[in-house]
Amino acid sequence: MSSRAFCASDEELQLSTRLLEMNTWHKTDTLSVDAAIGIFKQSGLTFKQLRDIWTIADKKGTGNLSKHELAVVIRLMGWVQAGEPL
C-alpha cells in the first residue's frame, strides 16, 4: 500500500461492523486472531496470504483488529481473491 491514508468504503465498513458484531460474546470492539480464523479461512486464501494481510492491517501489532483495520483486511483480501499480488 502507498503512504496515502486508507479510506474504507461504506460497504467495507458495514462488513467490518457485521464481523465485529458476530464477535459480541467477547464484548470488545476488536477482532482477535482466534475469532478471525474461522471467518477468514472461508475466503479461499492460503494461510500465508492471510497472515501477510493480517500483518499489514495490524498497524499496532496487537494481534487484534479495530474496525478500520478490519476494513483494510477486507480490501486486501478482495484484491488477492481477484488475482492481484499483495
Side-chain angles (χ1 to χ4, degrees):
M1 291 181 73
S2 70
S3 60
R4 295 183 314 163
F6 170 74
C7 184
S9 70
D10 288 340
E11 293 83 13
E12 290 165 335
L13 290 174
Q14 289 171 3
L15 182 53
S16 295
T17 298
R18 284 195 299 253
L19 290 172
L20 289 173
E21 287 171 351
M22 291 172 49
N23 192 39
T24 56
W25 60 277
H26 280 296
K27 303 292 186 215
T28 180
D29 60 351
T30 61
L31 188 68
S32 70
V33 172
D34 292 335
I37 288 172
I39 298 167
F40 295 156
K41 72 178 180 181
Q42 298 173 33
S43 69
L45 300 180
T46 67
F47 176 78
K48 181 185 180 323
Q49 289 169 318
L50 293 171
R51 184 191 64 214
D52 292 346
I53 289 170
W54 189 282
T55 300
I56 291 168
D58 186 9
K59 295 281 187 200
K60 297 176 187 169
T62 63
N64 296 313
L65 297 178
S66 67
K67 181 177 178 178
H68 182 77
E69 291 169 331
L70 190 50
V72 172
V73 167
I74 292 166
R75 171 88 50 96
L76 293 175
M77 285 175 62
W79 285 350
V80 173
Q81 288 171 325
E84 296 292 326
L86 189 60

